[in-house]
Amino acid sequence: MHHAQSTTMTKDGPRRRAPKVLLSLALMAGLGVLTPAIGLGAANADAATAGESNGETIGANADGRMQAFEIGRDGQLYTSWQVAANGTWSNWGSLGGNWATQSIVVASNADGRMQVFLIGNDQQLYTRWQVAPNGGWSSPWASLGGRWPTYAHAAVGKNKDGRLQLFIISENGQLYTSWQVAVNGTWSSWESLGGNWLEGHIAVSNNADGRLQVFLIGRDQQLYTRWQVAPNGGWSSPWASLGGRWPYYNDIAVGKNKDGRLQLFIVGTTNQLYTSWQVAVNGSWSSWESMGGYWPYPNIAVANNADGRMQVFLLGSDQRLYTRWQVAPNGGWSSPWASLGGRWPYYAKIAVGKNKDGRLQLFIVGTTSQLYTSWQIAPNGTWSSWGSMGGTWS
């Protein structure tokens, strides 16, 4: 590629492709729907009927307010946002469209404007963006072209200079990428990064020096990676194996230590959680190490506490949410796994975001098909009861 311009767990259940919900940060002023804020009191997430969950992801906006994006049962994209930083949430408003996919990707441009990406019924990738930071949205949906499976999982990273870059697996099994040709600007044509990948998840993150690095599970069930050889630049070749043996459909989660070293998390064929980390900043990788547990539902979320300590979250076979955290920045992990309660569908995705004051906040669709949330009561601290953000999500 040329210079990028641009612990009580028992048996496994049946597997279903989990659709996606996307959570990010922003004010949605131009939705045509602006309703009163939802106050999130204690809610019992165990009191949950049936419903298929969407997966969650977290992004960031200039003013620090989080925002949730969800595909409704009518195929439209809906959103709810914090009405003030660290605060309560609006009711749901529509951003329109008619989407067969449940995979939503959102990121913030260099100037803080959010941009959202979805695959349309015609298999092209579509996007809308805020016309000003924290503001209203462009219209109509703009096509970025290509021809992508509607079930494909797109990923977006940000170059060191602030230009966004998209990654998606095509029907031919190759990984393709497109990037902004200028900061906050238009997009390049699609370019292949090669490989021969099954349907699966893509993880992308920035090294401490700003170079993007992408991770996928190969047909031989090993984890593979390529990285930019210089910030904003071209890519290493060929694909390098990080070893292991992983179900190809499993989530790959990538976190970052306080010192900038990347760390990977993935559930193995034994249903234990494994991790590997860079042994030096921007450097090579450790061997895989087990973090234990028995996780038949391999959906992983990871985030950094306000003090830089990573914290990881998974669903147990008892349908409760479990967590472990680093006991010191860059350090070892708490033990045993601690329960955050609730009762969640086995196919539910977990999202974790960060309030402007540094408190982490979790989001997950419950068995009532409503979106639930729990937040740290203080930065680096303990967690609230689960509260409902409403909606009916299929």
Side-chain angles (χ1 to χ4, degrees), residues 1 3-6 107-111 113-115 117 127 129 144 156-159 161-166 177-189 232:
M1 175 178 169
H3 185 281
Q5 300 175 0
S6 30
S108 295
N109 281 276
D111 62 5
R113 292 175 305 112
M114 287 186 63
Q115 190 159 356
F117 307 87
T127 185
W129 55 89
L144 294 178
V156 61
K158 184 179 283 188
N159 282 277
D161 62 10
R163 291 173 304 110
L164 299 182
Q165 187 155 353
L166 289 160
T177 185
S178 173
W179 55 92
Q180 290 178 315
V181 295
V183 175
N184 306 313
T186 57
W187 292 80
S188 73
S189 56
N232 312 311

Side-chain angles (χ1 to χ4, degrees), residues 283-317:
S284 57
W285 293 81
S286 73
S287 56
W288 291 95
E289 181 175 293
S290 175
M291 293 183 67
Y294 181 81
W295 313 105
Y297 320 128
N299 305 316
I300 308 165
V302 62
N304 292 84
N305 281 277
D307 60 6
R309 293 175 303 113
M310 285 189 292
Q311 189 159 353
V312 66
F313 306 87
L314 294 95
L315 281 178
S317 63

Side-chain angles (χ1 to χ4, degrees), residues 40-46 321 339-344 350-351 361-365 371-375 383-388:
L40 293 178
N44 185 358
D46 285 335
L321 188 65
S339 173
L340 294 178
R343 184 171 179 81
W344 313 106
I350 308 158
Q361 189 158 349
L362 289 161
F363 304 83
I364 189 168
V365 174
L371 183 65
Y372 286 87
T373 186
S374 172
W375 55 91
W383 293 81
S384 73
S385 302
W386 290 95
S388 174

